[in-house]
């Protein structure tokens, strides 16, 4: 049973006239009559009663008609869905992200993408930059919103934004109330550090900066979540540094200052698998913008 036979059958069933039905499906009337006869032979039943003056459905044809319409409607919807997917206007993407990136002006771009492509589904997944990059490389995620740099083997990377690193100290600390703090001023301070595993290259960059100004940081605690870091700093356990997008103004018990000498920055970016030619992914990448790092 072919879709064209169902189209021919429905046209004749609705027009009850072979001439008008032939015009509707853009074939010659004799050809349409031959195709209907072939279809009846295939299914083993007569679908129409024919006379010189009229055409009518047989009881079998009347049973087939609603089923044929549903099949044709489903085929039309499938064709439309495929066409939309080919144009990048439908489908789904699994997108990894680091929490600070969502506070870094990206929300407006994501909202604009979903408005522009309402039939697309974005499945968001929060994870560290290393885990995201591995998932993208292995095809378990379509894109990752990461903290740069990342391991670029097998992935493409585009920078999105750059933000300064800030120092976080307890209220009442000797460095509280300052606008800027030099990195060397943290030399004798117990430090609360971000765990290395989620973004090892950022961790290592900070260690190299400390070494360059003459000290090794005294790390007393490692954390993975900003709430843990701020809580420990507020409790006086140590000082810390963070991406400016993680700053929570008004958080009780902490004070912030811009890190200088050197003025470290953290760059955010998007990573996707090399060779991925998904039209929907291309629309997503265009929507969030950015530039080559």
């Amino acid at each position: 049973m072919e879709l064209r036979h169902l189209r021919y059958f429905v046209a004749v069933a609705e027009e009850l006239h072979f001439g008008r039905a032939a015009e509707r499906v853009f074939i010659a009337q004799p050809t349409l009559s031959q195709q209907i006869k072939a279809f009846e032979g295939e299914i083993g039943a007569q679908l129409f009663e024919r006379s010189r003056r009229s055409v009518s459905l047989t009881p079998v044809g009347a049973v087939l008609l609603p089923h044929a319409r549903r099949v044709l409607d489903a085929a039309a919807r499938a064709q439309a869905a495929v066409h939309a997917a080919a144009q990048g206007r439908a489908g789904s993407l699994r997108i990894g992200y680091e929490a600070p990136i969502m506070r870094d002006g990206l929300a407006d771009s994501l909202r604009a993408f979903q408005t522009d492509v309402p039939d697309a589904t974005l499945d968001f997944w929060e994870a560290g930059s290393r885990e995201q990059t591995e998932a993208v490389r292995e095809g378990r995620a379509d894109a990752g919103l990461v903290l740069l740099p990342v391991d670029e083997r097998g992935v493409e990377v585009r920078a999105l934004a750059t933000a300064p690193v800030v120092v976080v100290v307890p209220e009442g600390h000797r460095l509280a109330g300052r606008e800027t703090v030099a990195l060397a001023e943290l030399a004798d301070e117990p430090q609360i550090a971000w765990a290395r595993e989620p973004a090892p290259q950022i961790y290592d960059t900070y260690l190299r900066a400390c070494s360059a100004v003459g000290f090794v940081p005294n790390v007393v605690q490692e954390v993975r979540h900003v709430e843990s870091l701020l809580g420990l700093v507020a409790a006086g356990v140590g000082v810390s540094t963070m991406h400016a997008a993680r700053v929570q103004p008004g958080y009780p018990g902490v004070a912030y200052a811009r890190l200088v000498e050197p003025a470290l920055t953290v760059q955010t970016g998007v990573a996707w698998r090399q060779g991925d030619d998904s039209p929907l992914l291309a629309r997503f990448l265009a929507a969030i913008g950015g530039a080559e790092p």
Side-chain angles (χ1 to χ4, degrees), residues 142-214:
D142 298 291
L145 301 171
V146 297
L147 301 178
L148 300 179
V150 294
D151 180 353
E152 296 187 23
R153 291 175 298 168
V155 300
E156 301 283 348
V157 174
R158 180 188 299 164
L160 294 175
T162 301
V165 172
V166 299
V167 176
V168 192
V169 299
E171 280 186 349
H173 189 275
R174 64 183 180 87
L175 299 175
R178 301 260 297 271
E179 290 188 4
T180 62
V181 171
L183 181 58
E185 294 181 90
L186 304 181
D188 298 324
E189 297 288 340
Q191 294 198 32
I192 300 160
W194 296 99
R196 182 178 186 276
E197 191 274 333
Q201 290 173 300
I202 292 177
Y203 184 99
D204 294 345
T205 296
Y206 180 71
L207 290 185
R208 287 194 296 270
C210 292
S211 178
V213 296

Side-chain angles (χ1 to χ4, degrees), residues 164-168 240-247 256-259 264:
V165 172
V166 299
V167 176
V168 192
S240 191
T241 59
M242 64 166 57
H243 183 298
R246 295 183 186 266
V247 168
Y256 304 98
R258 183 163 49 89
L259 182 65
L264 300 180

Side-chain angles (χ1 to χ4, degrees), residues 61-265:
V63 169
L64 176 60
L65 182 57
H67 295 285
R69 284 171 171 156
R70 284 195 292 270
V71 170
L72 292 176
D73 286 345
R77 288 195 299 272
Q79 185 176 23
V82 168
H83 184 65
Q87 292 185 321
R89 294 195 171 278
S92 62
L93 295 174
R94 190 176 195 219
I95 307 296
Y97 71 95
E98 284 260 17
I101 297 179
M102 293 303 185
R103 306 189 193 105
D104 206 21
L106 196 60
D108 290 342
S109 297
L110 294 175
R111 189 181 303 110
F113 171 79
Q114 293 183 305
T115 299
D116 183 52
V117 194
D119 293 327
T121 300
L122 298 182
D123 178 14
F124 289 103
W125 162 57
E126 184 176 359
S129 296
R130 169 186 273 182
E131 187 178 357
Q132 288 184 60
T133 306
E134 290 175 353
V136 167
R137 187 181 297 116
E138 296 169 3
R140 294 181 285 110
D142 298 291
L145 301 171
V146 297
L147 301 178
L148 300 179
V150 294
D151 180 353
E152 296 187 23
R153 291 175 298 168
V155 300
E156 301 283 348
V157 174
R158 180 188 299 164
L160 294 175
T162 301
V165 172
V166 299
V167 176
V168 192
V169 299
E171 280 186 349
H173 189 275
R174 64 183 180 87
L175 299 175
R178 301 260 297 271
E179 290 188 4
T180 62
V181 171
L183 181 58
E185 294 181 90
L186 304 181
D188 298 324
E189 297 288 340
Q191 294 198 32
I192 300 160
W194 296 99
R196 182 178 186 276
E197 191 274 333
Q201 290 173 300
I202 292 177
Y203 184 99
D204 294 345
T205 296
Y206 180 71
L207 290 185
R208 287 194 296 270
C210 292
S211 178
V213 296
F215 75 98
V216 174
N218 174 25
V219 177
V220 296
Q221 181 69 47
E222 289 192 351
V223 297
R224 291 174 177 266
H225 303 288
V226 66
E227 292 79 6
S228 298
L229 183 146
L230 293 175
L232 291 172
V233 171
V237 175
V239 303
S240 191
T241 59
M242 64 166 57
H243 183 298
R246 295 183 186 266
V247 168
Q248 296 186 12
Y251 191 94
V254 302
Y256 304 98
R258 183 163 49 89
L259 182 65
V260 295
E261 300 176 20
L264 300 180
T265 60

Side-chain angles (χ1 to χ4, degrees), residues 24-40:
R24 175 170 155 181
V25 296
F26 305 105
I27 63 174
Q29 180 175 335
T31 302
L32 177 60
S33 296
Q34 292 169 4
Q35 291 294 323
I36 291 296
K37 286 180 180 179
F39 186 37
E40 289 175 325

